[in-house]
Amino acid sequence: VQLQASGGGLVQAGGSLRLSCAASGRTINRDTVAWFRQAPGKEREFVAGLFRTGYSPYYADFVKGRFTIARDNAKNTAYLQMNSLSPEDTAVYYCASSGSAIASSVRDARTYHYWGQGTQVTVSS
């Protein structure tokens, strides 16, 4: 499967962006999908994850109700709506999918077998 992340860009603090992750070559409807991010000089970190049911999303603490992960199985696509962005959110955002994630592993990058190429999000102050 190939994951294509898009929707990044430059936005002012307080603004919003919607990231998309389109899958091709295989359905991800049965997979857990997730978003991670990596800022310069930092390790990749978990942002949000969503099981195939679409219920009970998982979020990193720093999201604090600002981001929403969603999926459209008909389009084989996952999304990350990001509101109230701050300069600390500047990073490359990656989408990922896994057919074997469980609750205890959803935040672990090693769980995910497929990764998108990343999309740059830059938030100016």
Side-chain angles (χ1 to χ4, degrees), residues 74-85:
K75 295 182 178 180
N76 213 22
T77 300
Y79 304 94
L80 184 68
Q81 176 67 44
M82 304 187 295
N83 300 326
S84 301
L85 286 162

Side-chain angles (χ1 to χ4, degrees), residues 4-122:
Q4 180 71 39
S6 62
L10 174 64
V11 64
Q12 289 188 335
S16 299
L17 284 173
R18 187 194 193 204
L19 306 184
S20 298
C21 177
S24 60
R26 170 183 171 275
T27 179
I28 59 170
N29 293 347
R30 296 186 181 89
D31 287 3
T32 297
V33 294
W35 290 91
F36 288 77
R37 71 184 189 183
Q38 187 166 18
K42 295 187 177 181
E43 294 186 352
R44 189 171 299 190
E45 62 180 352
F46 172 80
V47 177
L50 188 64
F51 286 103
R52 64 176 182 173
T53 60
Y55 300 116
S56 301
Y58 290 77
Y59 295 103
D61 290 343
F62 60 76
V63 169
K64 297 178 182 177
R66 301 180 297 133
F67 296 179
T68 302
I69 187 172
R71 64 192 304 160
D72 185 337
N73 287 340
K75 295 182 178 180
N76 213 22
T77 300
Y79 304 94
L80 184 68
Q81 176 67 44
M82 304 187 295
N83 300 326
S84 301
L85 286 162
S86 71
E88 291 70 32
D89 295 314
T90 295
V92 178
Y93 284 71
Y94 298 90
C95 61
S97 72
S98 169
S100 60
I102 57 176
S104 61
S105 68
V106 67
R107 301 171 189 268
D108 189 340
R110 295 171 296 179
T111 297
Y112 296 88
H113 311 118
Y114 305 105
W115 290 84
Q117 84 289 359
T119 184
Q120 176 71 46
V121 172
T122 302

